[in-house]
Amino acid sequence: MQKLLKRTAQVQKQAARRSRTRSRINASDQRRLLIGQHKQVNQARKELLYSARQALREDWQLGPLAPRRDVGDNAKTYGTVPIRVVQAVDNPLGKWKKWGIRVGDRVCVTGDTERDRGKIGVVGEVTEKAESCKVRGINRVNVPTPEYMKVQGRAEPPVQTTEAPIHLSAVRLVTPLVDPNTGIKRDVIVNELTLTPTGQRYIANYISPDTGKPHYIPWPPKQKPDYKDNDVDTLRIDVEKVTWTPTLLRAPMPSGVIDELRNKYSKFRTRHEDTYIEMKESMDEERKRREQEMQWGGGTPKEMLTPVQELNRARNMERKGIDDQDKLTEEVLAGIGAMMVRKGKRLLPKEEKVEQATLQPPPPEPRTEAQTP
């Protein structure tokens, strides 16, 4: 049984190791994919900027003779940008900073590369993994209508206007604060926002004149989703109807169902039937019994000794001076005591007086001709 449990634990460790390796490989593939997406977006932006500069240079050089560019295939989509340029791509490093900006906050665009620098708007969408946000009415661009949105029978415009994402480092929070000099409340652009471990945000270098403490900026209220009822929705009375009542008189499910779900012969199984456990325990007991019956110095069970092995075993026991039960005789005890005296180790208490004669080794027996080697 112990062997079976050890095998199950080993299999579980191997499965966990394979799972960690697989997750590490998937994370590496995902990071490589995100890096490729970043390269594609940057390349598309460079090509768009290069084509716009080239067209501007040609129009300035040719003047009235400049060609019309809103003709042919680009007649309806001239001036649009590719869709992948306005899509937020996750950070490939897998780590993103907490900027303290949520949906509903008023922010001001402060980035040098943004065309709507200095405008104030309300955040409509925040993508934390991409560290970007979309501000309502700011940084709007025209994109061509995708093919999947062109439903047959509906007149979709060829161009749609949407907000392009802005990196969170290019926006600053706008909040009303009381001026300590004039006492008038006015909007202030917060250059540095500090977050607490409890989830609150405040301005580190500003002290409220009313309380004399740091001014905590409240989070914007979350908007409740507007749910609409449809004909295919399940009624509340049907959801709250009790269809099963648990009881202690029966199991929650038959044991056969558990075996079907977890595979009765799976190597990951940790719960077994009583008959199987009894069989394994009896096998372990039989194995231990056989190990105890292994003879000393031999290696085969006692009931399988050959006559030569039995003779050798008897001679060895006779030469050692012990019988089958490995008993200590008086002569052996006397020899042990004499050796202890020679080495200076006395285990007996000092109060007990031991006669020296009893600790002396026995005199050697006279050697006969039969014992001479």
Side-chain angles (χ1 to χ4, degrees), residues 48-58:
L48 184 63
L49 182 60
Y50 176 77
S51 60
R53 288 178 177 177
Q54 188 177 11
L56 181 62
R57 187 180 298 108
E58 290 179 357

Side-chain angles (χ1 to χ4, degrees), residues 299-365:
T300 56
K302 186 176 181 180
E303 60 269 11
M304 298 180 61
L305 294 178
T306 61
V308 178
Q309 291 176 346
E310 292 180 357
L311 180 60
N312 293 335
R313 184 175 184 277
R315 288 180 178 178
N316 292 334
M317 301 295 289
E318 184 179 358
R319 187 180 301 110
K320 295 291 183 179
I322 55 178
D323 54 1
D324 294 344
Q325 302 296 331
D326 296 341
K327 295 181 180 178
L328 296 176
T329 60
E330 295 181 359
E331 297 178 356
V332 175
L333 292 175
I336 294 174
M339 185 175 295
M340 293 171 58
V341 171
R342 286 197 300 268
K343 292 186 176 182
K345 296 181 180 180
R346 302 181 60 86
L347 300 180
L348 297 176
K350 296 182 179 179
E351 290 78 5
E352 298 182 4
K353 296 182 179 180
V354 182
E355 296 181 0
Q356 189 70 16
T358 59
L359 298 178
Q360 294 295 332
E365 298 180 0

Side-chain angles (χ1 to χ4, degrees), residues 259-299:
D259 293 335
E260 293 178 2
L261 295 176
R262 69 186 177 189
N263 188 2
K264 183 178 180 180
Y265 303 100
S266 174
K267 57 185 178 181
F268 297 99
R269 182 170 181 174
T270 56
R271 299 171 60 185
H272 306 277
E273 299 177 356
D274 297 337
T275 55
Y276 184 78
I277 295 176
E278 293 177 0
M279 181 186 68
K280 286 295 183 181
E281 291 179 351
S282 62
M283 293 175 60
D284 294 343
E285 293 178 358
E286 180 67 18
R287 181 178 55 80
K288 291 181 180 180
R289 185 184 66 81
R290 286 183 173 274
E291 291 179 354
Q292 293 177 358
E293 291 180 354
M294 298 292 286
Q295 76 157 1
W296 175 83

Side-chain angles (χ1 to χ4, degrees), residues 1-258:
M1 193 65 187
Q2 296 296 331
K3 184 177 180 180
L4 180 63
L5 297 177
K6 183 179 179 181
R7 186 192 67 180
T8 304
Q10 185 178 4
V11 169
Q12 291 178 354
K13 291 181 180 179
Q14 293 176 356
R17 192 184 306 114
R18 287 194 297 266
S19 177
R20 289 194 299 268
T21 304
R22 194 181 304 110
S23 61
R24 186 168 58 252
I25 294 174
N26 294 338
S28 178
D29 295 343
Q30 182 67 17
R31 182 173 179 271
R32 193 180 300 108
L33 177 62
L34 293 176
I35 291 176
Q37 292 180 359
H38 271 276
K39 290 182 179 179
Q40 292 179 1
V41 171
N42 294 334
Q43 185 66 22
R45 290 176 178 174
K46 290 181 181 179
E47 292 178 357
L48 184 63
L49 182 60
Y50 176 77
S51 60
R53 288 178 177 177
Q54 188 177 11
L56 181 62
R57 187 180 298 108
E58 290 179 357
D59 294 345
W60 178 77
Q61 291 177 353
L62 298 178
L65 301 179
R68 293 188 57 184
R69 306 182 188 278
D70 54 345
V71 295
D73 297 337
N74 298 331
K76 296 181 179 180
T77 60
Y78 179 74
T80 60
V81 297
I83 297 180
R84 62 174 178 269
V85 176
V86 298
Q87 292 178 348
V89 183
D90 296 347
N91 188 357
L93 300 179
K95 300 179 181 179
W96 51 89
K97 180 180 177 181
K98 294 183 179 180
W99 298 88
I101 295 177
R102 289 184 182 178
V103 177
D105 285 331
R106 297 174 63 239
V107 294
C108 177
V109 181
T110 58
D112 296 336
T113 59
E114 306 297 337
R115 62 177 183 177
D116 293 337
R117 182 183 181 185
K119 294 185 178 180
I120 298 176
V122 180
V123 177
E125 180 182 348
V126 176
T127 308
E128 294 183 355
K129 293 185 178 182
E131 297 183 343
S132 63
C133 67
K134 292 183 179 181
V135 185
R136 298 170 187 170
I138 295 179
N139 199 22
R140 296 175 65 87
V141 294
N142 295 330
V143 296
T145 304
E147 295 294 335
Y148 65 88
M149 295 183 62
K150 297 179 181 178
V151 184
Q152 186 176 3
R154 293 181 57 182
E156 294 290 342
V159 177
Q160 293 185 357
T161 304
T162 182
E163 290 88 2
I166 306 175
H167 199 270
L168 290 175
S169 61
V171 296
R172 293 293 184 270
L173 184 67
V174 178
T175 181
L177 295 178
V178 178
D179 191 352
N181 298 327
T182 61
I184 301 175
K185 182 180 290 188
R186 58 191 180 92
D187 290 339
V188 176
I189 299 176
V190 181
N191 189 26
E192 184 178 358
L193 194 63
T194 306
L195 299 178
T196 62
T198 58
Q200 297 179 344
R201 54 182 182 176
Y202 66 95
I203 306 173
N205 54 359
Y206 175 79
I207 302 299
S208 177
D210 298 335
T211 60
K213 298 180 181 179
H215 177 70
Y216 288 90
I217 303 175
W219 295 100
K222 295 183 179 180
Q223 298 180 358
K224 296 183 179 180
D226 186 13
Y227 297 107
K228 296 182 180 179
D229 296 335
N230 299 316
D231 298 337
V232 295
D233 294 342
T234 306
L235 299 179
R236 180 175 180 179
I237 188 174
D238 296 335
V239 175
E240 296 179 352
K241 183 179 180 180
V242 179
T243 58
W244 181 77
T245 304
T247 177
L248 299 177
L249 301 179
R250 60 181 180 180
M253 65 175 65
S255 59
V257 176
I258 300 178

